Amino acid sequence: MRILIATDAWAPQVNGVVQTLSQVVNRLITQGHEVRVIHPGLFKTIPCPTYPEIRLAVWPFGRLRRELREFKPQAVHIVTEGPIGLGMRLLARYAGLPFTTAYHTQFPEYVKARSGIPIRFTAALLRWFHKPSRAVMVPTQSVIDTLKSRGLNNCVLWQRGVDLKRFNPDKSPVSKHLSYSPCELASDDPQQVELLQRLNACSVEKPVFLYAGRVAVEKNLEAFLSLELPGEKWIAGDGPARKALEKQFPEARWFGMLNHAALSEIYKRADVFVFPSLTDTFGLVLLEAMASGCPVAAFPVNGPLDVVGQSGAGVLDWNLKNAALSALQIDRERPRQHASTFTWENCASQFQGYLAPIVYSAGTVRQLTGHKQPLQD
């Protein structure tokens, strides 16, 4: 099957959308599908306001139309609601092509957190964007329920996965021989070695409460960093709010952006993974932490309710301090077992099953070879 994926989120961005998409694309290609990803790297771009590390494509219609005409996909999937996703949506509607979409980010809540714009306005825009989709792929049932309450009834459950070979409680080979230089053994990751050397050289006061992910206002990190907890607070990640928070909370250990090899080590060293976000649709870091044997403390909101729920792999409480302290009592085997029920193979299989097959007609071909820009829906 020829599958065309239009996304405004792609490498070198580091986030859950990119990771999910990469995992699915790799598995589809392995299964013999031909996958073409249309991403910002193919266009002239400008920095996203408030998120300069995210690049937005400028006027992508011409390239998108050409990709549709030349690749002639048998299925089209739109990942994001940015310029590329919007351009593909308009083109597909103009040409009468069925397509599927995904809802990765609680955009109305994010916009309200950043600008104060009421949720009803951005929710209406999202309803317009996703309503023609044959299936809006959503990571959790609680988010599906939220979208249904806002008028979207074409949502389907598209669960996520975790790489258990990468994220697990086992002691890594690197941790057993740290006396050499990273360049002496090519199979070892230099950042992983550097992190372990750094941790082994310093005094760590237990317990360790960890957050990993984007450091931004919508992640509600102050709710975690302001807690009075024993031991230490660790932050792994980067983002637009890091400088201000690092200055406000200098007592926390700030590790910056870590690759997966280094991140797997820090999960193993932590005693509790604290996830203060109120706006995530899923939270892949929850699975990564649990797969590493680290129990979770979070608020009982969309994301944690579905990923952790009543599994006993973490504690969900509106009192985040109580959740963090209570999670210390959880046996580390319990989160590991729970995380093992989420697989990328199942994620890719669900994705493929939801795709809407395209049947071409002469009219469709004429629409795609024309020059008129589809600016009206």
Side-chain angles (χ1 to χ4, degrees), residues 61-75:
F61 285 109
R63 176 65 181 264
L64 291 173
R65 186 195 295 273
R66 187 165 67 251
E67 293 287 352
L68 282 172
R69 183 177 65 248
E70 296 176 358
F71 185 57
K72 202 173 182 181
Q74 294 168 300

Side-chain angles (χ1 to χ4, degrees), residues 242-374:
R242 180 181 171 184
K243 286 186 178 179
L245 289 175
E246 196 168 354
K247 185 176 180 180
Q248 186 179 355
F249 301 98
E251 70 281 0
R253 289 187 190 261
W254 297 81
F255 292 91
M257 184 69 70
L258 299 178
N259 63 21
H260 284 147
L263 191 57
S264 67
E265 295 293 344
I266 213 166
Y267 285 137
K268 295 171 188 177
R269 298 287 182 112
D271 296 289
V272 174
F273 185 79
V274 182
F275 191 70
S277 175
L278 298 169
T279 58
D280 273 64
T281 56
F282 191 88
L284 284 178
V285 287
L286 295 173
L287 284 184
E288 293 171 355
M290 290 189 295
S292 305
C294 189
V296 169
F299 292 114
V301 295
N302 289 353
L305 278 172
D306 301 87
V307 180
V308 181
Q310 302 298 317
S311 66
V315 180
L316 308 183
D317 195 321
W318 285 112
N319 186 321
L320 193 58
K321 178 179 179 179
N322 285 349
L325 294 175
S326 297
L328 287 170
Q329 309 305 316
I330 296 175
D331 185 284
R332 293 179 73 89
E333 181 58 26
R334 179 168 273 184
R336 163 66 179 177
Q337 290 178 347
H338 180 59
S340 67
T341 64
F342 295 83
T343 69
W344 286 120
E345 287 73 22
N346 185 50
C347 176
S349 177
Q350 288 180 331
F351 175 86
Q352 183 184 344
Y354 292 138
L355 292 175
I358 294 175
V359 177
Y360 286 90
S361 65
T364 301
V365 174
R366 284 196 299 271
Q367 296 282 39
L368 292 176
T369 55
H371 299 288
K372 181 179 177 183
Q373 298 298 336

Side-chain angles (χ1 to χ4, degrees), residues 5-26 29 35-42 53-55 79-80 84:
I5 296 176
T7 179
D8 297 273
W10 194 244
Q13 294 179 38
V14 180
N15 53 49
V17 178
V18 174
Q19 185 178 349
T20 298
L21 197 56
S22 300
Q23 293 282 354
V24 169
V25 168
N26 288 339
I29 292 173
V35 183
R36 185 165 297 183
V37 179
I38 311 302
H39 57 83
L42 302 175
E53 64 270 29
I54 295 177
R55 307 292 300 185
V79 180
T80 49
I84 293 175

Side-chain angles (χ1 to χ4, degrees), residues 179-259:
S179 59
Y180 61 87
S181 168
C183 63
E184 293 177 7
L185 195 59
S187 62
D188 284 344
D189 178 79
Q191 191 181 55
Q192 181 186 24
V193 173
E194 181 184 354
L195 173 69
L196 284 168
Q197 289 175 335
R198 178 180 171 186
L199 291 176
N200 289 347
C202 68
S203 175
V204 176
E205 183 182 350
K206 288 284 196 171
V208 170
F209 297 92
L210 168 69
Y211 166 82
R214 193 163 65 251
V215 182
V217 62
E218 67 270 11
K219 297 300 183 178
N220 195 32
L221 270 174
E222 286 188 63
F224 165 45
L225 291 169
S226 61
L227 294 178
E228 292 185 8
L229 293 169
E232 298 184 2
K233 300 185 184 82
W234 291 2
I235 308 295
D238 208 345
R242 180 181 171 184
K243 286 186 178 179
L245 289 175
E246 196 168 354
K247 185 176 180 180
Q248 186 179 355
F249 301 98
E251 70 281 0
R253 289 187 190 261
W254 297 81
F255 292 91
M257 184 69 70
L258 299 178
N259 63 21

Side-chain angles (χ1 to χ4, degrees), residues 119-181:
I119 286 176
R120 66 179 181 276
F121 293 120
T122 42
L125 287 174
L126 286 173
R127 185 167 54 250
W128 168 84
F129 186 95
H130 290 284
K131 200 166 185 179
S133 172
R134 294 293 178 90
V136 185
M137 303 186 200
V138 184
T140 66
Q141 185 59 48
S142 57
V143 175
I144 288 177
D145 294 339
T146 297
L147 293 176
K148 282 185 176 180
S149 72
R150 295 174 181 170
L152 274 178
N153 297 309
N154 51 344
C155 301
V156 294
L157 183 62
W158 180 33
Q159 292 181 312
R160 301 296 187 260
V162 64
D163 186 344
L164 297 176
K165 292 182 180 178
R166 174 170 285 163
F167 298 104
N168 58 70
D170 301 335
K171 192 173 184 179
S172 66
V174 176
S175 65
K176 299 174 184 176
H177 50 276
L178 289 174
S179 59
Y180 61 87
S181 168

